[in-house]
Amino acid sequence: MGPTASGKSALAMKLAGYFPVEIISVDSAQVYRDMNVGTAKPGHDDRARVPHHLIDILEPTARYSAAEFARDAGRLIAEIRGRGKLPLLVGGTMLYFKALTQGLNDLPAADPALRAAIDARAVEHGWPRLHEELAAIDPVTAARLQPADRQRIQRALEVFQISGRPLSALLEESSREATTTNFLRMALVPSERAALHRRIAQRFDAMLDGGLIDEVRSLRERYVLTPELPAMRAVGYRQVWNYLDGTIDFPTLRNQGIFATRQLAKRQLTWLRATEAQLFDRQSPAVEKNAIEWITRHLQR
């Protein structure tokens, strides 16, 4: 596990040179086909050398829930172990990890009509106003969300309107049964936040230089997409979408993309520090050696 741009995929490939692994992607954007540049998918050479799973399994018009991931990942773990290999789960979508290892609370399914109504109110009044409404009915959830966090504000309001109960209360209730698999949890965490911020900026610039704008333009031409779809809400893609719509210029696209990625990394780090994962310093020159030794010790038990 680890925040975006922390080098998870590179370390995973190093580990594949020492252990008989197959990799399961834990990334809510890499599941989509034709979204390659902005998701930093593993290259064809890496995927040819080491089997990768849950990449390119859906079109960008589809939705893929954490519960579906848990089901698919659980099946793959059993299949990989049946082949005498080690399943190595790699990614930064923390809700997917939680769904797999802890289970999910029984929340109401999405209601497209209700979401459209919430979006319409947001257009009229702005998301900060809807954040205020959420604070009145669910102060616990509102306190952990930024006023511009449209996706999570929308979901919290939707859950309340469907169930009549705050999202925070439902999340406290007993969860569905999680997988009984024993996991070794390890996370790449930078010792210096500034170094991670530099990597984020460098990687986003590389994505722009590598054709991210053309990729989103091609996706819009090939598929029937809307900015509300999960695929187009991914960091980088939603900023390019606004750029192609003409609502922001290129410098703003770059600045917003880097800022959104930094905010994502901040949320990921907060989640990681609350887990029982073994933390490895991304900036240590011995990170690969330390990770291999740590895994080896646990496998020998």
Side-chain angles (χ1 to χ4, degrees):
M1 301 178 287
T4 185
S6 60
K8 299 180 294 294
S9 296
L11 178 58
M13 291 305 298
K14 293 289 187 181
L15 295 177
Y18 290 87
F19 304 103
V21 304
E22 294 188 26
I23 293 173
I24 299 175
S25 170
V26 189
D27 189 299
S28 60
Q30 290 187 359
V31 297
Y32 296 113
R33 302 185 191 101
D34 299 318
M35 293 175 56
N36 303 314
V37 178
T39 63
K41 281 179 186 170
H44 292 296
D45 290 344
D46 286 346
R47 292 166 69 177
R49 184 162 68 90
V50 180
H52 284 67
H53 303 277
L54 298 187
I55 293 177
D56 292 340
I57 62 172
L58 297 170
E59 293 191 347
T61 52
R63 297 177 184 272
Y64 189 65
S65 68
E68 289 172 310
F69 167 82
R71 177 201 64 201
D72 292 342
R75 170 181 53 80
L76 286 165
I77 288 170
E79 292 174 358
I80 293 168
R81 294 178 71 179
R83 290 191 285 269
K85 301 288 188 68
L86 292 173
L88 177 60
L89 292 99
V90 182
T93 301
M94 303 308 170
L95 181 59
Y96 283 9
F97 281 117
K98 181 179 185 296
L100 179 64
T101 61
Q102 301 176 34
L104 287 172
N105 298 85
D106 193 10
L107 299 178
D111 184 326
L114 181 54
R115 288 190 170 188
I118 294 172
D119 284 339
R121 289 202 294 119
V123 170
E124 181 178 359
H125 302 293
W127 286 104
R129 171 71 175 275
L130 268 64
H131 183 264
E132 293 176 1
E133 294 180 12
L134 178 62
I137 59 176
D138 188 355
V140 174
T141 298
R144 64 180 177 82
L145 301 181
Q146 296 296 319
D149 194 344
R150 50 182 289 180
Q151 183 174 358
R152 291 176 176 82
I153 293 171
Q154 178 199 64
R155 178 57 174 159
L157 290 172
E158 176 190 42
V159 167
F160 181 80
Q161 292 184 42
I162 292 174
S163 67
R165 302 183 62 197
L167 174 63
S168 58
L170 294 177
L171 290 176
E172 289 178 357
E173 295 181 351
S174 59
S175 61
R176 298 173 183 166
E177 185 178 356
T179 178
T180 57
T181 300
N182 292 322
F183 293 95
L184 294 181
R185 296 172 173 84
M186 55 189 300
L188 286 178
V189 176
S191 55
E192 295 180 16
R193 189 71 62 90
L196 178 62
H197 289 173
R198 287 194 297 271
R199 284 180 58 86
I200 286 172
Q202 291 166 359
R203 190 168 80 156
F204 194 74
D205 283 338
M207 289 177 177
L208 291 173
D209 292 340
L212 178 57
I213 294 174
D214 287 338
E215 179 171 270
V216 179
R217 184 182 289 114
S218 176
L219 288 167
R220 285 163 51 127
E221 293 171 353
R222 183 172 182 179
Y223 300 98
V224 180
L225 299 172
T226 67
E228 287 74 32
L229 285 168
M232 293 300 103
R233 285 181 172 179
V235 170
Y237 287 89
R238 65 175 178 263
Q239 287 78 26
V240 174
W241 184 287
N242 292 335
Y243 170 76
L244 292 175
D245 275 354
T247 58
I248 60 175
D249 57 17
F250 183 82
T252 304
L253 156 64
R254 179 183 181 273
N255 291 337
Q256 288 185 356
I258 292 173
F259 178 76
T261 309
R262 287 172 60 166
Q263 292 298 105
L264 171 61
K266 181 179 179 181
R267 293 192 298 271
Q268 291 168 319
L269 286 168
T270 298
W271 190 91
L272 285 170
R273 292 196 171 98
T275 70
E276 297 179 353
Q278 175 70 35
L279 304 183
F280 292 88
D281 183 3
R282 165 63 182 82
Q283 295 161 251
S284 170
V287 62
E288 176 186 335
K289 174 178 176 291
N290 293 339
I292 291 170
E293 290 178 350
W294 182 78
I295 294 173
T296 300
R297 286 197 302 272
H298 282 273
L299 292 179
Q300 291 175 343
R301 290 180 178 177

